[in-house]
Amino acid sequence: TIYPCCSKVVCDGCVYANAIREREQRLLLTCPFCRCQTPKTVAEGRQLEKKRLKANDPLALNNEGMNSYDSGDYAAAIEYWEKAA
């Protein structure tokens, strides 16, 4: 799972363990890596992704390249991948 707040890839086991901890302790949902509160809407998540793209985060750039490739924008995908490399 890639989190938009820090662009870290977190394994599903860690995500599951964090979710159990948060439910048991009645905590807000947070990123297991940076403990930033998870976005409530898609728009909030997209804003966090854009913030990571502006910071030239290689994982965020690669992810955006994959999204562009999947949507058929191959030129943009190559640009994002070149920046990530």
Side-chain angles (χ1 to χ4, degrees):
T1 305
I2 297 177
Y3 280 84
C5 49
C6 58
S7 295
K8 297 296 180 188
V9 178
V10 182
C11 75
D12 290 336
C14 294
V15 171
Y16 180 70
N18 189 52
I20 289 173
R21 180 187 64 83
E22 290 171 342
R23 261 187 252 123
E24 287 175 351
Q25 297 178 9
R26 296 193 170 121
L27 301 171
L28 293 173
L29 298 177
T30 60
C31 170
F33 187 80
C34 70
R35 301 288 186 222
C36 181
Q37 189 173 356
T38 55
K40 294 188 185 337
T41 64
V42 173
E44 287 178 9
R46 190 67 187 143
Q47 284 179 332
L48 290 173
E49 289 173 3
K50 286 182 181 180
K51 181 180 173 184
R52 298 306 312 158
L53 289 171
K54 286 181 184 175
N56 287 325
D57 183 335
L59 287 173
L61 291 167
N62 182 50
N63 192 44
E64 190 64 25
M66 295 298 287
N67 290 339
S68 296
Y69 184 84
D70 290 341
S71 67
D73 190 358
Y74 303 119
I78 291 171
E79 285 182 35
Y80 283 118
W81 290 333
E82 286 176 347
K83 282 185 184 179

